[in-house]
Amino acid sequence: MTAAMRKERPAKSTIRARWLQIIKEYEKHWSSDEVLYTTLCGAEALDIRMMVADGLIKATEVGGIADSDKGKVVAVEAGLDALLQLRQSIPGLRVIDQRIDYIVGGASDPNKFPEKKKRDAARARVINLDFNGPLKLDHDAQNGFKHPDLETVRKLAALHGKPEVRAPWCLLLTFQSEITWSVSTQQEVFRYLSANASEHHGFGRQLKAFYGDELFDLITGDQSFDISTHTRQSQQLLLSAFVAKRVALLASTSGWKVTTRANWRYGGEDLTAPMCTWIFDFSWDPRGDSNSHAVYQDSLSDVLSATAVVNSGGTVISDAFA
């Protein structure tokens, strides 16, 4: 165990251990001509080091990646200092020195996809988008919601959904849960959730139980308040439901049924940043070619079925209604 691992807060250690379980699960169906795991690991690469310690990645005597496993993992890192540290500390690790949105062809053009030599990284069986910052979100009447990081998710789903691929895959996704959106964008989010709660009664019942009466009534009521002035917990709850719902919708357009295996909240105490993290499993649904709405409705049924808090001691406490 490295010094960085020993210093990590227990809640994040619990989440990393869950990630490791997921990767091991998907490795059972992985073939050596694929990338198993693509990650935004940062300079410390704690998730990759955890895989090495577990034996999931074979290492050399000097701590590098063994030749047999060099194609198994891809790190994506655009920061120069972190890039140099990764290459020096883990010899043999494949590192792509670009931002993740560039790996999928950019977030601004929905029809532009990556060059062939980077597609394998974008089609890994498990992809970990462990973002340190909050979700950037805007809205305009013509284009609807604009969220570059979730557009990256949509393009990952599209790349996995090409006929030559369509193998089950998993997304690990994390955002800081502070709401930094404009009040007008917040109001569009409230209207969006409120309309969907009315249209999909099962989701509406789940959302009310998850939010509680006070927050649910605020969001579905006059919708004129600024949630950034409310508690961190209220902001976490809003983000937890919104992101899971958007991922289910965006992936359904490429034929993916999404199962939200984990929808967890952590941090926000003892000067730690409040965070939300999700584990999404994607399975190909042939109805997606002709009836993506039906696929989306099936995915929507469980976006709030695995919600929980990971407390400061690292214990996962499921929400009472979930």
Side-chain angles (χ1 to χ4, degrees):
M1 180 181 290
T2 67
M5 287 179 179
R6 286 191 292 270
K7 289 192 301 183
E8 188 168 60
R9 50 179 162 165
K12 190 67 181 214
S13 295
T14 293
I15 291 162
R16 288 194 195 280
R18 188 73 178 104
W19 290 347
L20 182 63
Q21 292 175 352
I22 296 293
I23 299 165
K24 291 169 75 171
E25 190 178 305
Y26 274 83
E27 190 204 24
K28 296 175 183 177
H29 308 287
W30 165 78
S31 60
S32 59
D33 60 341
E34 301 173 309
V35 174
L36 172 63
Y37 184 57
T38 294
T39 175
L40 310 184
C41 60
E44 297 289 347
L46 297 183
D47 50 348
I48 294 175
R49 296 183 190 281
M50 186 169 56
M51 293 171 69
V52 171
D54 192 75
L56 195 56
I57 299 174
K58 296 181 179 66
T60 65
E61 292 182 0
V62 296
I65 306 294
D67 288 344
S68 61
D69 281 358
K70 282 185 176 178
K72 204 170 191 177
V73 178
V74 176
V76 178
E77 178 55 61
L80 180 59
D81 290 343
L83 179 68
L84 291 174
Q85 183 174 332
L86 279 172
R87 286 178 169 161
Q88 290 172 359
S89 63
I90 311 179
L93 175 65
R94 180 183 170 193
V95 185
I96 298 178
D97 56 347
Q98 286 184 320
R99 296 202 319 254
I100 186 64
D101 55 320
Y102 290 159
I103 304 303
V104 297
S108 60
D109 186 345
N111 298 310
K112 183 180 178 183
F113 288 93
E115 54 194 271
K116 191 172 183 179
K117 66 180 181 180
K118 294 176 183 173
R119 288 180 190 172
D120 62 338
R123 288 171 168 170
R125 284 299 185 102
V126 180
I127 297 177
N128 190 345
L129 303 185
D130 187 10
F131 294 115
N132 292 323
L135 174 70
K136 296 177 182 177
L137 183 70
D138 201 355
H139 184 277
D140 65 58
Q142 183 176 359
N143 300 304
F145 290 116
K146 295 187 291 184
H147 32 43
D149 292 331
L150 295 186
E151 175 61 17
T152 295
V153 173
R154 186 198 68 78
K155 294 183 84 170
L156 288 170
L159 285 162
H160 280 86
K162 299 295 183 183
E164 67 271 21
V165 189
R166 292 184 178 175
W169 63 288
C170 181
L171 174 67
L172 314 174
L173 180 64
T174 303
F175 287 111
Q176 186 177 323
S177 59
E178 180 185 3
I179 300 300
T180 59
W181 318 326
S182 68
V183 172
S184 62
T185 296
Q186 289 180 44
Q187 290 173 349
E188 293 300 332
V189 171
F190 302 155
R191 292 188 187 103
Y192 173 74
L193 290 172
S194 180
N196 279 266
S198 298
E199 181 181 352
H200 305 283
H201 298 300
F203 172 72
R205 288 190 296 271
Q206 281 189 320
L207 190 67
K208 186 170 186 178
F210 181 52
Y211 281 174
D213 290 341
E214 182 180 357
L215 182 59
F216 183 82
D217 289 345
L218 281 171
I219 286 174
T220 58
D222 65 16
Q223 303 172 340
S224 61
F225 72 103
D226 181 355
I227 199 168
S228 68
T229 65
H230 284 239
T231 65
R232 287 178 165 184
Q233 289 76 16
S234 293
Q235 294 175 58
Q236 283 181 312
L237 292 171
L238 178 67
L239 191 71
S240 291
F242 178 74
V243 168
K245 192 176 183 310
R246 291 298 290 179
V247 168
L249 176 64
L250 295 169
S252 69
T253 62
S254 294
W256 293 107
K257 163 71 170 63
V258 181
T259 300
T260 307
R261 198 191 300 203
N263 185 341
W264 293 353
R265 310 173 314 276
Y266 68 101
E269 70 284 307
D270 300 327
L271 302 180
T272 60
M275 308 293 290
C276 290
T277 191
W278 301 262
I279 299 173
F280 298 110
D281 291 314
F282 297 76
S283 55
W284 174 253
D285 191 317
R287 295 178 300 166
D289 290 330
S290 59
N291 192 359
S292 63
H293 184 67
V295 179
Y296 166 60
Q297 285 185 307
D298 286 352
S299 300
L300 184 62
S301 66
D302 72 357
V303 297
L304 298 176
S305 64
T307 60
V309 170
V310 187
N311 69 17
S312 59
T315 301
V316 181
I317 304 170
S318 296
D319 292 315
F321 83 96

